Each structure stands twice: as structure tokens, then as C-alpha cells.
Amino acid sequence: MIVGVDIGTSVTKAQLISRDGRTTPAHEARSTVYTLPGQRVEQDLDNVVGTVETVVRAALADAAEMGGELVEALALTGQGDGLWLRDATGAPVGRALSWMDGRAADRLDRWTADGTLRALHERTGVGLFPGSAAPLLAHLAEHEPERLEAAHVAGYCVDAVVQRLTGAVTVDASDASQPFLDVATRTYDETALDLCGLSDHRRLLPDPAPPGTLHRLLPDAARRLGLPAGLPVSAGPFDIPACAFGSGVAEPGEGNLIIGTTLAAQILDSEPRPAAADEPAGMVLATPYEGRFLRVMPAMIGTAGLDWLLKLLDVKIEALDALLVQSPPGASGVTALPFLSASGERAPFVDARARGRFDGLSPLAGRADLVRALCEAVAYSARHCMDTLGVCGSITACGGGARSGEWARIFAGVLGRDLDVCDDAVGIRGAAQTAWHSLGTPVDAAAWRAPRRTVPAEAGLIDHYAEGYADYRLALDAARDGWSTR
């Protein structure tokens, strides 16, 4: 069996997973996220490593449920983007800058105006946003150069934890894909670095680990985790591609929709080509598998916006399905734009000024209408992302939002196709699948994929939401004109 760990932004999870697909319950520990003035969002590496130690020990206590199977590896996945600076020992050089951080928005504005973003997208297929490593590095180079001088490596969450557990200075190719990697060759594009004015900081970027790389637990880290020293450690892919593979995506054209804190749409491809979009948005990711790449539109919206609305309305998340049933499709005329992140939006367009709104309000509108309008708007954004990516195969859905039966019905209606919904921790499953592949004993991905249920697309909803989606796109275009004049 494998100990799988998913290091999320606010919650770290771990569970045991067997080669036959059986899992033990997931254990969780919360990380601290510091939201500070100036749109700064930061995390503490020591705190995050502590959550990993807590959940791994808790998961190992369930080993008896696996019938005495031996632990073959520790498989890690977790949040991507952001900037996790460390010194040569793995100690943090200041707090990590989260992928939700917005301090570099002005840098992104400059790169948009001078054509840097489009030029970068043409080279690497990447669409930057304020919480990407490139604008964050450029911001620090301008405002806090001493931090970069003190750093030995500029990486991401998973490789920061790996360095603390194994001593390896490394990065998974999926993380490194955003923003400087030529994903076809798995080498850094020096012109991309130069476009961002960051060539002088190339020393901070570790070369991506070759597919199949395994690291080894250091004795002290092993003691803290309750695992044997020298145990193989698999690092990556990060959470978005891990969810794709854990959901069972295996053939080009198949898609996956993560309805989590944020919304991510992704399509598997046999070529490293970006989405056929008019704007420099999204990303192309290297994967652990030869000849397989992921085209991704990782929106900033998702269940976080819904959580905000439910808190505002003093409604518990357990009441979501009941509220959605109380409001008809179309939410009694109430519509929404779902852009409720302080950092704006990053897919399928990039605009740090993007903000949410409700329209069509009247004294007859109730809480259920507001909630349904926002849920429909998030689904419209998912279709916008999927249409931009060009999905042509089946779509799986995962994440907390997919567990709502009524919201899943909305997504299926808006997308106009059945959804195969996976309810378990598919990110951990994808990380474990990668670990077994690296150990030289790959699982049969099709047979081993996460359990799923099919949510059918209903004809009446498909027709209704086709009109609603057209109206959403018109409202979005008008709103973007307004944001650009602010």
C-alpha cells in the first residue's frame, strides 16, 4: 500500500491506498493561511510540514484495515503556483507567497500592456496571473531583492516539503511547467526567462526531475512521520493533474472538471499545444506519462465564492441541495458573475480587476435564488473553460462541489453532457498511481480509477442553459469593458 498525501492550501489530507483501490478514511489537518493588506496571501512552510507529519501518523494508525500490507512509498501531491523560497538547508526565506497572492497585479498589468504576456504564451502556452511564480519573482526582484539573494531555490509547495523530508532540491515537471518550461523537452526556455526579466535568477530554478524519480526519506523525517528511513518518496504531479489521473482520465480528448475551492477544467492531449484561445490564458502541463500533456484552464472561482455567499446568508453548506431545489432553473431571473476572488480571474481570461455581481434582483428574490444564480454562473464559467479547451471526450468531475447532487445536475445541463462524478480523494489516488508507476509496478489505470456515479444531462436543462450561457457570455463581455476602464 501507499501513504498518499494531498497538501492543499488550507487543509492537508492523508490516507492509505491499496493496489486494489481500497482506501482508508482520509485524515485532515488545517494549515494557516495569512491574508494581509496589499492583497498579500502567505503561508508558513514549517506549519505546512507539521500538517503533513500529523496526517501521515493518523493515516498509519489505520494500517490494520489494509490487512497487514507493507507501505511501499509515500506519495505527495498538493497546491501549485505561488513562490516557496528556501535556503540550501530547506529553511524558508520568509513566508511562502501563495498562489492566491495579488501583490504582483501591477506587474501583470505592465506585462499585458507591453506584450510580454502574449509573447510568453506563444513560447510556452502559459497564461500568467498575479499568483504565478514569474510575476511574484519579478515583484520581489524589484521590491525585496535581498530575499532572492538569500534564497537557494525558488519552488513550489510540494518540492518545498520534499526538500524537508528527503533533502532533495528538486521540482516536478508539472509544477515547473508554470511558467518557464518547454514542456516538450522538459527544459527551461531561456527566452521565456528573459522576456520576464528574470534571467539573472535562473540559478534559483531546479531542473525538473525525470519521470519515475523517487526520493528517500531522511532518518529524522522518517521518525517524525512514523515511517521507515529510506522509504521511497514520490513527488507530484501537483493537485490539478493528480486529480485528472486519479479520476481516470487516460485518453486524449477526455476531460476533468475539479469543482473545489477553485474551478479547474483540463483536457488530456498527446501534443504539448495550448488551448486555441484568443487570449493568453491557461497552461500546458507536462505529466509523468510519455506522450501525454494536459491543457488546463484553472479559474479562480469555485466553492470559495459559494462559501462566502452562504456565510453572508447565514446558511450551512449542508442546506445547499435543499436551497437549489427551492429555486427553478434560471433562479427566478436572478443572474450572477461569479468572480469573487481578490486576485480577479486567470482562466479562460486573465484580469486582476474581475469582480462578481448579481443582476435581476427584486423584492421577490430569495436566498435560494441568489445561491442558485451563483451556482449556475460557476457552471457557465466551467463551460467557457471547456469550450476554450475544446473537449471532445467524456468528462469526469470531482471536488467538494461535485458531491452536491443538485449542483452536479446544473453542471451536466450547462455542459450539455453526462458527468461521471468521483466522490473520493482523487488527487491522492492520482499521486499513488504515479508512485506505483515510478516503482516499476504500474496499476491498470482504467480498472483502478476512482469509483464514480453518472449524473445525466437532462434535455430540458440543456435547452434552458444553452440560452442562459449565451446571456452569461454577453454579460461577461460587458463587464470586462467596465473593468478595463477602472
Side-chain angles (χ1 to χ4, degrees):
M1 65 182 175
I2 280 176
V3 185
V5 182
D6 185 350
I7 312 165
T9 305
S10 57
V11 176
T12 299
K13 301 177 183 178
Q15 64 184 157
L16 306 179
I17 185 165
S18 174
R19 284 188 59 85
D20 62 10
R22 290 177 298 122
T23 59
T24 55
H27 295 269
E28 300 183 355
R30 297 197 67 84
S31 301
T32 302
V33 179
Y34 299 92
T35 302
L36 306 165
Q39 296 186 336
R40 295 178 297 154
V41 183
E42 301 176 349
Q43 289 194 267
D44 181 79
L45 176 57
D46 293 333
N47 171 253
V48 172
V49 172
T51 67
V52 173
E53 294 169 359
T54 297
V55 296
V56 168
R57 282 188 167 277
L60 289 172
D62 297 329
E65 297 181 28
M66 290 298 192
E69 293 183 25
L70 295 177
V71 175
E72 298 178 63
L74 174 65
L76 303 178
T77 185
Q79 57 177 298
D81 297 304
L83 189 64
W84 296 65
L85 296 173
R86 293 103 68 189
D87 65 18
T89 70
V93 180
R95 284 183 185 153
L97 280 59
S98 168
W99 62 271
M100 298 187 295
D101 196 281
R103 75 186 71 190
D106 61 337
R107 170 67 61 169
L108 212 62
D109 286 340
R110 280 182 268 168
W111 284 351
T112 300
D114 66 16
T116 297
L117 284 191
R118 185 164 293 280
L120 187 64
H121 186 265
E122 290 172 355
R123 292 200 65 86
T124 66
V126 68
L128 299 182
F129 67 103
S132 302
L136 291 173
L137 277 168
H139 178 89
L140 292 182
E142 180 179 357
H143 299 286
E144 298 180 65
E146 67 280 359
R147 285 186 65 180
L148 298 187
E149 289 299 319
H152 179 73
V153 58
Y156 305 88
C157 177
V158 174
D159 54 85
V161 173
V162 168
Q163 186 176 2
R164 296 290 287 273
L165 299 183
T166 72
V169 177
T170 185
V171 65
D172 185 75
S174 63
D175 268 316
S177 298
Q178 168 82 349
F180 304 118
L181 201 68
D182 178 335
V183 297
T185 64
R186 294 177 181 259
T187 59
Y188 291 111
D189 186 317
E190 301 298 338
T191 300
L193 281 158
D194 187 57
L195 283 168
C196 297
L198 294 169
S199 295
D200 290 345
H201 301 291
R202 168 66 178 86
R203 67 174 183 85
L204 296 174
L205 306 178
D207 292 329
T213 297
L214 292 168
H215 311 286
R216 300 285 172 175
L217 270 184
L218 294 171
D220 186 55
R223 178 186 55 78
R224 296 195 306 271
L225 293 167
L227 290 167
L231 184 77
V233 177
S234 174
F238 77 91
D239 55 6
I240 290 178
C243 284
F245 296 119
S247 295
V249 171
E251 296 300 326
E254 293 180 344
N256 172 248
L257 188 63
I258 305 171
I259 313 168
T261 302
T262 56
L263 182 79
Q266 53 188 330
I267 305 295
L268 193 65
D269 202 338
S270 58
E271 300 289 339
R273 53 192 169 197
D278 295 330
E279 303 181 53
M283 57 182 74
V284 181
L285 302 179
T287 78
Y289 307 108
E290 184 177 355
R292 293 293 183 264
F293 305 88
L294 282 164
R295 289 183 278 125
V296 187
M297 287 291 168
M300 297 294 286
I301 63 171
T303 60
L306 178 63
D307 290 342
W308 166 83
L309 179 60
L310 293 178
K311 182 178 180 180
L312 191 68
L313 299 175
D314 194 24
V315 174
K316 301 295 185 184
I317 187 64
E318 292 78 12
L320 176 60
D321 277 2
L323 278 173
L324 292 176
V325 168
Q326 292 172 29
S327 180
S332 303
V334 180
T335 61
L337 292 180
F339 308 109
L340 293 167
S341 168
S343 300
E345 186 52 278
R346 61 174 173 171
F349 62 91
V350 178
D351 194 330
R353 294 175 294 269
R355 293 295 181 267
R357 76 183 196 199
F358 287 93
D359 291 302
L361 296 174
S362 77
L364 298 178
R367 294 186 301 178
D369 298 316
L370 292 174
V371 171
R372 187 172 189 105
L374 183 60
C375 287
E376 289 178 345
V378 173
Y380 290 143
S381 179
R383 177 171 171 180
H384 193 182
C385 290
M386 284 293 185
D387 285 355
T388 304
L389 291 169
V391 63
C392 59
S394 60
I395 299 178
T396 58
C398 59
R403 297 191 184 103
S404 163
E406 290 301 317
W407 203 3
R409 285 183 64 226
I410 292 172
F411 275 101
V414 169
L415 294 170
R417 62 178 68 212
D418 296 351
L419 284 182
D420 291 325
V421 177
C422 308
D423 290 323
D424 75 345
V426 292
I428 287 177
R429 185 175 288 267
Q433 177 178 316
T434 301
W436 268 308
H437 189 270
S438 299
L439 288 166
T441 56
V443 297
D444 181 334
W448 192 75
R449 66 187 184 183
R452 59 188 61 198
R453 56 187 167 86
T454 299
V455 178
E458 302 165 32
L461 290 181
I462 292 173
D463 294 341
H464 175 87
Y465 285 131
E467 295 183 11
Y469 177 62
D471 291 340
Y472 166 84
R473 292 294 302 274
L474 291 173
L476 175 58
D477 289 344
R480 293 189 65 185
D481 288 340
W483 298 331
S484 66
T485 61
R486 286 198 308 206

